[in-house]
Amino acid sequence: MANVLSLQEAVAMYVQDGATVCMEGFTHLIPFSAGHEVIRQKKRDLTLIRMTPDLVYDQLIGAGCAKKVIFSWGGNPGVGSLHRLRDAVEKGWPHQVEILEHSHAAMACAFEAGAAGLPLAVLRGYVGSELPNVNDQIKFIECPFTSERLAAVPSVRPDVSIVHAQKADRAGNVLVEGIVGVQKEAVLAAKHSIVTVEEIVDDLDTHPNACVIPGWAIDAIAVSEKGSLPSYAHGYYPRNNSFYKEWDAIARDRDAFTQWINDNVMQAGGNVG
Amino acid sequence: MANVLSLQEAVAMYVQDGATVCMEGFTHLIPFSAGHEVIRQKKRDLTLIRMTPDLVYDQLIGAGCAKKVIFSWGGNPGVGSLHRLRDAVEKGWPHQVEILEHSHAAMACAFEAGAAGLPLAVLRGYVGSELPNVNDQIKFIECPFTSERLAAVPSVRPDVSIVHAQKADRAGNVLVEGIVGVQKEAVLAAKHSIVTVEEIVDDLDTHPNACVIPGWAIDAIAVSEKGSLPSYAHGYYPRNNSFYKEWDAIARDRDAFTQWINDNVMQAGGNVG
Amino acid sequence: MSNAEQNQDYTSGEMMTVTAARALENGTTCFVGIGLPSEAANLARLTHAPDVVLIYESGTVQTRPKVLPLSIGDGELCETALTTVSVPEMFRYWLQGGKINVGFLGTAQIDRYCNLNTTLVGDYTSPKVRLPGGGGAPEIATNAGEVFITLKHSTRTFVDKVDFITTMGFGRDGKGREGVPNIGKGPTRVITDLCVMKPDPVTKELVVVSLHPGVTAEQVQEATGWEIRFAETLKSTSEPSAHELEVLRELKERTARAHTGQ
Amino acid sequence: MSNAEQNQDYTSGEMMTVTAARALENGTTCFVGIGLPSEAANLARLTHAPDVVLIYESGTVQTRPKVLPLSIGDGELCETALTTVSVPEMFRYWLQGGKINVGFLGTAQIDRYCNLNTTLVGDYTSPKVRLPGGGGAPEIATNAGEVFITLKHSTRTFVDKVDFITTMGFGRDGKGREGVPNIGKGPTRVITDLCVMKPDPVTKELVVVSLHPGVTAEQVQEATGWEIRFAETLKSTSEPSAHELEVLRELKERTARAHTGQ
């Protein structure tokens, strides 16, 4: 059953050094304020899973929290590179970070399989791609009915998943609306979960087939207003596309990055963007 | 792209003798009027797929349309047996009907896999059950990552799927709301699809994550008011539970059944219940 | 009807439902079978377990029906649910995904190792009686944390060997779960109109642990198709309270009115 | 910039986008990559193909953005969509389920067999340049009915051998799709700022079929990292119409205003 905690308490309680952590949100509802709290608490040696690392993991990587990143598309959407990810992979700053990369289809299926309690996901994937040459977690199986060759990847089963959502009710039931990505799967696949929300309301005021995650399937709820900026929350505030562009210059330079993290994360209580 | 046809035209065009047909709707939105049209058009040798055959397949079986039934729970919900299914299986009336039975979990996964373009579904299923002894379509595979033994079943890929829904807009986009069952999967998994709807409207007036099937993924739309009675349509009319109880006596007796079909299906244009 | 109820102001069926309801702790997430399990689970919700989470295979999550559903997919279940998901999602994410504490099942036949038969009586290729089949039960029994079973006690239902294992309790030899990874505990109690049974911790054979008021061990043995074991210290099941009976009767009255009202 | 545009009232980039847009027929269901493909697909929708169905990997189905999205998951895509599904559903039901006629992709590198590299320049373990990676492309390329590719023409992008096959066109030898069941046709055209190319029906090697107005075969060869083939009857690509240019420029203006407005 979800406990309502402060973000500081929730991260302290559920994100351990060395843990496998998934912060999801497909462009929309990225849990930036939670990521910043992880940076402030100086968590280390994390295996970070996310389809699109985006700025949130660029910041975590640059701040030295990551040991390994599992992803399927590591760019700044519409802008260019994630310079902190590249600097870590190409030059080992602030330390070497291991990467394991998939395609989106495989990761989406791996989240689905994790939520579904399966050890693997099966897909028509990776045909002709050289990704299986550099990722030993991609295997192939034969369909026992048709003999077709199908790709198989291990399911995603993080120690803790963190997502942001529009709102929770007082029982901790959470509404996710708009681009829902793999957020529900991330929560259901994880051993523990933290959901940050814009607000807690009396009534979710929703429709019969809404994407609602029951409170009893979540460990902690933390209120975090504007918690996904510079990403966005459908119905609350738009994506700060300008900040995504500005990030390119900040992240290109180690000192500028360090200064930004210091000013906007370490010295700040909340999120920025 | 969906064409708006009469139900008579749609069934004549897409349901061929000998076809594999799936009429779905999990208790809710069962496409009874379409089933009756199939009976009226005297389609024969159909392989009928449905998780819960329910009264709609009891009627089709008794009327002689079925060659084979693939299902996972063959009762009259809350009432008792499906007497026409039993009579066909146990006594061969009106002719012998072959059955292939699964569990709900396996069929639900098989629909999902069919929609997902996969030849098989993989699940943690059938452990200790004797169903694999009597269904040669249940196999087991080994997970290449964990060596776990997992069940595998062929995906559902019908020649034609028929479902009922609340409404379509003028472009043929369909809204399904409430208990959505495996209807979307049934449509997406099939080579062709017919959707009967209560009404056609200018605007589906829905929310961002509603269960909407785009018109271009459907072959035919047919308006059929009260098309799922004695099942129900959330937001339109309730389930006729009394008729489900009355059906027990009608279906118990071959003559009473034949009379009922004659009076209410063969001689009638629409649905009954 | 058993002798039990002759001097009592409740029926043996009510005794069974109340006892089954009490088995569900508040806050439990329960995957509910239609019929007797649904009656018991909703009684629990309306009495001691207001926060029990009821999930039906129709995809209705955390539902609070005012009347008992006739079918597993009555509109009432959706209208009173927190949310309604697709049936593939229900079986994949919620049941197989390990979110269910208790699966609550009925059955047509059960044997000493809690194997359930809802497929047929007789031989598979030429059945004497064809039953509805597996439905959700085979995977509820293995993927839920544990399983409660409730059914009426008779030699027709409690058989020495089930004609067909639709749904495994502990297998023909009681060892069906041994060495299987990621499998639930299986049946942990069976509640009938006569008694409560639990599997022996080692052999997994069903043992009567509690007799309902007024029921004798002989009556249980007579209604059971094998030589059934009794616990050394056999308890007496607590009687239904006046409140439980009142809530149950009101629920059933509301239900009867709703289902004939059309 | 090419010489082409010196005497024209449109740029080579506009020529590329308009040509790419024209490739999409009305009514086509298109899985749209971000960037140039998105620009072309939306131009198609706003000109000759009002009923083209645009699907983005963020789960937005049949979307009609008023401004071009910066990211694949901008709010605009959801707000103007017919419906928005989860990302697993998008990749499973809609892409892998065979509902997509055309996958529209960009790339960082392409070779003569239309293999795409968006992973890295150099060696995998010590890359010279690390690129974003596969994203949706590897399965878009195999599960869509066919694939259109659009990118700017240069020896940096058109390379003799891609450093890494992130996404297969036709494999290192052009035979990568042979004998693979349930696989799409693969790339059927490549549209650049200089020309249009199509794979040879037999060998699958890219052949220039059409030069944009003012572009010479020599220019194409100079911008290509291998000895590129030209069709025997080389066409001249039709110029953008005034209407196409007007719609495209308005779209890009609206987009620029929207993305800097905050």
Side-chain angles (χ1 to χ4, degrees):
Chain A
M1 183 56 71
N3 285 310
V4 177
L5 301 175
S6 72
L7 182 52
Q8 190 275 330
E9 291 170 320
V11 167
M13 186 169 299
Y14 292 109
V15 182
Q16 309 304 328
D17 284 353
T20 297
V21 181
C22 167
M23 303 183 197
E24 262 299 343
F26 198 87
T27 313
H28 179 216
L29 291 173
I30 299 176
F32 271 94
S33 64
H36 291 179
E37 185 58 35
V38 171
I39 293 172
R40 270 193 297 277
Q41 293 191 21
K42 297 185 176 153
K43 301 295 182 185
R44 289 294 177 264
D45 295 322
L46 303 179
T47 294
L48 295 173
I49 306 177
R50 224 183 110 74
M51 291 181 66
T52 61
D54 202 274
L55 274 47
V56 68
Y57 278 9
D58 212 33
Q59 294 169 0
L60 282 152
I61 292 163
C65 304
K67 182 179 73 178
K68 181 175 179 179
V69 185
I70 302 175
F71 69 98
S72 42
W73 193 83
N76 178 345
V79 179
S81 290
L82 292 176
H83 299 290
R84 295 296 98 226
L85 171 62
R86 283 184 56 178
D87 202 16
V89 171
E90 296 170 21
K91 307 216 174 71
W93 191 91
H95 53 251
Q96 199 64 45
V97 167
E98 190 187 340
I99 58 170
L100 190 75
E101 60 185 311
H102 279 286
S103 67
H104 273 353
M107 278 198 84
C109 291
F111 273 100
E112 201 272 348
L118 289 171
L120 85 165
V122 173
L123 68 152
R124 291 193 191 282
Y126 291 122
V127 177
S129 171
E130 291 174 356
L131 282 165
N133 301 351
V134 296
N135 179 340
D136 63 5
Q137 295 296 290
I138 302 167
K139 295 184 189 273
F140 293 88
I141 65 168
E142 191 183 277
C143 173
F145 302 104
T146 64
S147 302
E148 285 168 272
R149 185 173 181 262
L150 299 164
V153 293
S155 60
V156 168
R157 294 191 276 194
D159 293 318
V160 56
S161 283
I162 307 178
V163 303
H164 187 69
Q166 277 95 347
K167 52 190 171 181
D169 67 19
R170 300 196 187 281
N173 304 307
V174 164
L175 175 68
V176 188
E177 197 166 55
I179 291 177
V180 295
V182 295
Q183 285 103 297
K184 183 177 187 174
E185 287 76 12
V187 168
L188 297 182
K191 293 188 191 73
H192 297 290
S193 57
I194 302 170
V195 181
T196 56
V197 294
E198 290 295 323
E199 57 175 338
I200 294 183
V201 297
D202 289 328
D203 184 351
L204 292 180
D205 184 25
T206 185
H207 48 84
N209 305 115
C211 180
V212 174
I213 308 175
W216 47 267
I218 296 166
D219 290 283
I221 304 274
V223 176
S224 180
E225 214 180 313
K226 300 234 160 77
S228 72
L229 270 180
S231 169
Y232 70 106
H234 179 100
Y236 286 77
Y237 45 87
R239 191 170 190 265
N240 189 342
N241 280 332
S242 300
F243 184 81
Y244 271 83
K245 291 175 179 170
E246 289 161 27
W247 182 252
D248 191 69
I250 298 166
R252 242 175 228 284
D253 182 80
R254 291 177 187 173
D255 292 338
F257 168 79
T258 304
Q259 189 66 48
W260 189 91
I261 289 286
N262 190 56
D263 294 349
N264 297 286
V265 179
M266 300 314 286
Q267 305 296 326
N271 60 302
V272 177
Chain B
M1 183 58 68
N3 285 310
V4 177
L5 302 175
S6 72
L7 182 50
Q8 189 274 331
E9 290 169 321
V11 168
M13 186 169 300
Y14 292 108
V15 182
Q16 309 304 329
D17 284 352
T20 296
V21 180
C22 167
M23 303 184 197
E24 263 298 343
F26 198 86
T27 312
H28 179 216
L29 291 173
I30 299 176
F32 270 94
S33 63
H36 290 179
E37 185 59 34
V38 171
I39 292 172
R40 269 193 297 277
Q41 294 191 20
K42 298 188 173 148
K43 301 295 182 185
R44 290 295 177 264
D45 295 322
L46 303 179
T47 293
L48 295 172
I49 306 178
R50 228 184 106 74
M51 291 182 68
T52 61
D54 202 273
L55 275 48
V56 67
Y57 279 9
D58 214 33
Q59 293 168 0
L60 282 152
I61 293 163
C65 305
K67 182 180 73 177
K68 180 174 180 179
V69 184
I70 301 175
F71 70 100
S72 43
W73 192 84
N76 178 344
V79 178
S81 290
L82 292 176
H83 299 290
R84 294 297 96 225
L85 171 62
R86 282 185 56 178
D87 202 16
V89 171
E90 296 170 22
K91 308 218 172 70
W93 191 91
H95 54 251
Q96 200 64 45
V97 167
E98 189 186 343
I99 59 170
L100 190 75
E101 60 184 311
H102 279 287
S103 66
H104 273 354
M107 278 197 83
C109 291
F111 273 101
E112 202 272 348
L118 290 170
L120 84 165
V122 173
L123 69 152
R124 289 193 192 283
Y126 291 121
V127 178
S129 171
E130 291 173 356
L131 283 165
N133 302 349
V134 297
N135 179 341
D136 63 6
Q137 295 295 290
I138 303 168
K139 295 183 189 274
F140 293 88
I141 65 166
E142 191 183 276
C143 173
F145 303 104
T146 64
S147 301
E148 287 168 273
R149 185 172 181 262
L150 299 164
V153 294
S155 61
V156 168
R157 295 191 273 193
D159 293 318
V160 56
S161 283
I162 307 178
V163 302
H164 187 70
Q166 278 95 345
K167 51 189 172 182
D169 66 18
R170 300 198 187 279
N173 303 305
V174 164
L175 175 69
V176 188
E177 197 166 53
I179 291 176
V180 295
V182 295
Q183 285 103 296
K184 184 177 185 171
E185 286 77 11
V187 168
L188 297 183
K191 293 188 192 73
H192 295 290
S193 57
I194 302 170
V195 181
T196 57
V197 293
E198 291 294 323
E199 57 176 339
I200 293 182
V201 297
D202 288 329
D203 185 352
L204 291 179
D205 185 24
T206 184
H207 48 83
N209 306 115
C211 180
V212 174
I213 308 175
W216 46 268
I218 297 166
D219 290 283
I221 305 272
V223 176
S224 179
E225 215 181 312
K226 301 230 159 78
S228 73
L229 269 180
S231 169
Y232 70 106
H234 179 99
Y236 286 78
Y237 46 87
R239 191 171 190 264
N240 189 343
N241 280 331
S242 301
F243 183 80
Y244 271 83
K245 292 175 178 170
E246 288 161 27
W247 181 253
D248 191 69
I250 297 166
R252 244 176 227 283
D253 182 80
R254 290 176 187 174
D255 292 338
F257 167 80
T258 304
Q259 188 68 49
W260 188 92
I261 289 287
N262 191 56
D263 294 351
N264 296 286
V265 179
M266 301 312 286
Q267 305 295 327
N271 60 304
V272 177
Chain C
M1 295 291 137
S2 74
N3 298 334
E5 69 199 70
Q6 290 174 357
N7 300 316
Q8 291 160 343
D9 58 357
Y10 54 87
T11 68
S12 59
E14 287 171 338
M15 181 73 216
M16 169 168 63
T17 302
V18 167
T19 307
R22 287 176 180 169
L24 270 185
E25 287 175 32
N26 197 19
T28 300
T29 299
C30 179
F31 202 104
V32 187
I34 203 68
L36 293 175
S38 174
E39 196 174 312
N42 280 289
L43 178 60
R45 182 177 60 81
L46 295 169
T47 54
H48 70 282
D51 295 326
V52 70
V53 174
L54 304 188
I55 292 185
Y56 288 73
E57 66 195 18
S58 51
T60 48
V61 176
Q62 203 165 331
T63 181
R64 299 177 147 86
K66 289 171 202 72
V67 302
L68 294 172
L70 180 67
S71 80
I72 200 84
D74 274 21
E76 176 76 7
L77 292 174
C78 174
E79 281 155 25
T80 62
L82 174 64
T83 189
T84 298
V85 302
S86 76
V87 166
E89 178 177 327
M90 174 51 64
F91 280 98
R92 290 174 75 79
Y93 290 5
W94 301 93
L95 178 60
Q96 188 175 265
K99 305 300 176 193
I100 307 298
N101 303 132
V102 174
F104 215 139
L105 298 175
T107 185
Q109 283 187 342
I110 185 170
D111 69 17
R112 76 183 69 204
Y113 291 119
C114 286
N115 301 302
L116 311 182
N117 174 17
T118 53
T119 301
L120 49 75
V121 179
D123 180 59
Y124 192 81
T125 46
S126 54
K128 258 194 291 189
V129 182
R130 180 59 231 197
L131 299 167
E139 283 77 20
I140 294 172
T142 53
N143 289 325
E146 61 185 310
V147 179
F148 299 166
I149 298 160
T150 184
L151 75 164
K152 289 207 174 181
H153 216 132
S154 84
T155 49
R156 273 198 321 126
T157 54
F158 282 73
V159 298
D160 188 36
K161 280 188 183 349
V162 291
D163 290 321
F164 188 88
I165 298 184
T166 313
T167 299
M168 180 177 73
F170 298 99
R172 296 277 181 196
D173 60 359
K175 296 176 181 164
R177 286 172 193 262
E178 291 178 13
V180 179
N182 297 295
I183 193 166
K185 278 190 244 175
T188 53
R189 67 184 80 192
V190 179
I191 301 115
T192 73
D193 50 342
L194 300 182
C195 64
V196 178
M197 287 152 281
K198 293 185 177 183
D200 179 280
V202 177
T203 67
K204 302 301 181 187
E205 185 176 337
L206 272 181
V207 178
V208 179
V209 295
S210 167
L211 294 173
H212 296 342
V215 175
T216 64
E218 290 68 33
Q219 283 177 300
V220 171
Q221 180 58 71
E222 275 168 27
T224 306
W226 70 88
E227 197 176 323
I228 192 157
R229 289 176 51 198
F230 292 87
E232 290 184 19
T233 53
L234 203 52
K235 290 185 191 153
S236 175
T237 318
S238 305
E239 293 202 314
S241 72
H243 177 63
E244 286 165 328
L245 288 170
E246 187 190 333
V247 172
L248 176 58
R249 287 167 188 173
E250 281 175 11
L251 176 63
K252 294 188 78 164
E253 259 178 49
R254 277 202 303 279
T255 300
R257 274 201 306 275
H259 291 180
T260 54
Q262 300 166 29
Chain D
M1 293 291 137
S2 74
N3 298 334
E5 69 200 69
Q6 291 176 354
N7 301 317
Q8 291 159 346
D9 58 356
Y10 54 87
T11 68
S12 60
E14 286 172 338
M15 182 72 219
M16 169 168 62
T17 303
V18 167
T19 307
R22 286 177 181 168
L24 271 185
E25 286 176 32
N26 197 19
T28 299
T29 300
C30 178
F31 202 104
V32 187
I34 203 67
L36 292 176
S38 175
E39 196 174 310
N42 280 289
L43 178 61
R45 182 177 59 80
L46 295 169
T47 53
H48 69 282
D51 295 327
V52 70
V53 174
L54 304 188
I55 292 185
Y56 288 74
E57 65 195 17
S58 51
T60 47
V61 176
Q62 202 165 330
T63 181
R64 299 179 148 84
K66 288 172 203 71
V67 302
L68 295 173
L70 181 66
S71 81
I72 200 86
D74 275 20
E76 176 76 7
L77 292 174
C78 174
E79 281 155 27
T80 61
L82 174 66
T83 189
T84 298
V85 302
S86 76
V87 166
E89 178 177 328
M90 176 49 67
F91 280 98
R92 290 173 75 78
Y93 291 4
W94 299 94
L95 179 60
Q96 189 174 262
K99 305 300 177 193
I100 307 297
N101 303 131
V102 173
F104 214 140
L105 298 174
T107 185
Q109 282 188 342
I110 185 170
D111 69 15
R112 75 182 71 204
Y113 292 119
C114 286
N115 301 301
L116 311 183
N117 174 19
T118 53
T119 300
L120 49 75
V121 179
D123 181 59
Y124 192 81
T125 47
S126 54
K128 256 192 294 190
V129 183
R130 180 61 230 194
L131 301 166
E139 284 75 20
I140 294 172
T142 53
N143 289 324
E146 60 185 309
V147 179
F148 298 166
I149 298 160
T150 182
L151 75 162
K152 289 206 174 181
H153 216 129
S154 84
T155 49
R156 274 197 319 127
T157 54
F158 281 72
V159 298
D160 188 37
K161 278 185 188 342
V162 290
D163 290 322
F164 189 88
I165 298 183
T166 313
T167 299
M168 181 178 73
F170 299 99
R172 295 277 182 197
D173 60 359
K175 296 176 181 167
R177 288 174 190 260
E178 290 178 13
V180 179
N182 297 295
I183 194 165
K185 278 190 245 174
T188 52
R189 69 182 80 191
V190 180
I191 301 116
T192 74
D193 48 345
L194 299 183
C195 63
V196 178
M197 286 152 281
K198 294 187 176 182
D200 179 280
V202 177
T203 67
K204 302 301 181 187
E205 185 176 336
L206 272 180
V207 177
V208 179
V209 296
S210 166
L211 293 174
H212 296 342
V215 176
T216 64
E218 290 67 33
Q219 282 177 300
V220 173
Q221 180 58 71
E222 274 167 28
T224 305
W226 70 89
E227 198 176 321
I228 191 156
R229 288 177 53 199
F230 292 86
E232 290 185 19
T233 52
L234 202 52
K235 289 183 192 156
S236 176
T237 318
S238 306
E239 294 203 316
S241 71
H243 177 63
E244 285 166 328
L245 288 171
E246 186 190 335
V247 173
L248 175 59
R249 288 168 188 173
E250 280 174 11
L251 175 64
K252 295 188 79 165
E253 259 179 50
R254 278 200 304 279
T255 300
R257 274 200 307 274
H259 291 179
T260 54
Q262 301 167 29

